[in-house]
Amino acid sequence: DTEVTQTPKHLVMGMTNKKSLKCEQHMGHRAMYWYKQKAKKPPELMFVYSYEKLSINESVPSRFSPECPNSSLLNLHLHALQPEDSALYLCASSLSAAPEQFFGPGTRLTVL
Amino acid sequence: GENVEQHPSTLSVQEGDSAVIKCTYSDSASNYFPWYKQELGKGPQLIIDIRSNVGEKKDQRIAVTLNKTAKHFSLHITETQPEDSAVYFCAASGETSYDKVIFGPGTSLSVIP
């Protein structure tokens, strides 16, 4: 298996909802990433997990809560989001000692 | 911190022509330079990369060159095809997964049949 999968593909939520995004890879990668991408912009790093531990948090608001339950799975829990949080949320993974990152297809999130 | 600039922001070429996208970076400590292709509705796909100990790398119709002294690197696509139409991002980082990848603003390439 040589790909990163993300579910759901699309998500619409209200500002009071709680939802979660899921990312999975079976390439044996031990570094996993969450990025946020607005239209016509490059991806912006949110979080980095290395060996299931959070190693980088790019000052992301607490309404975004990441979780790495095991080496293959990465979740992003969402609560009390704002309309400006609407974006494409991308997951990526890489070997622990290598910089090459492989991206999933993303979850298109709309906050009403 | 690192800053990556990319030009042009949009590029339109006839099918069969070549396309060149240029990037500059600011941090001399960066030594890994990937290029990503993002098609509409999809995630970025790593298409080619180069490390600082190499000046040029080629993979079929795509090639990347790096001038570390001048801190610039370029993507060359030859014999362009309509399926090459996408947004291309250059990026710069250190050599490990712990190094933050800094992306350029992107180039929207259109290949006209």
Side-chain angles (χ1 to χ4, degrees), chain B residues 88-107:
Chain B
Y88 290 81
F89 293 102
C90 63
S93 83
E95 274 276 15
T96 76
S97 62
Y98 306 104
D99 295 301
K100 185 175 174 179
V101 175
I102 306 299
F103 288 88
T107 296

Side-chain angles (χ1 to χ4, degrees), chain A residues 1 25-31 71-72 94-96:
Chain A
D1 191 347
Q25 58 86 17
H26 296 286
M27 295 181 280
H29 291 176
R30 301 309 294 271
S71 60
S72 301
S94 69
L95 287 167
S96 59

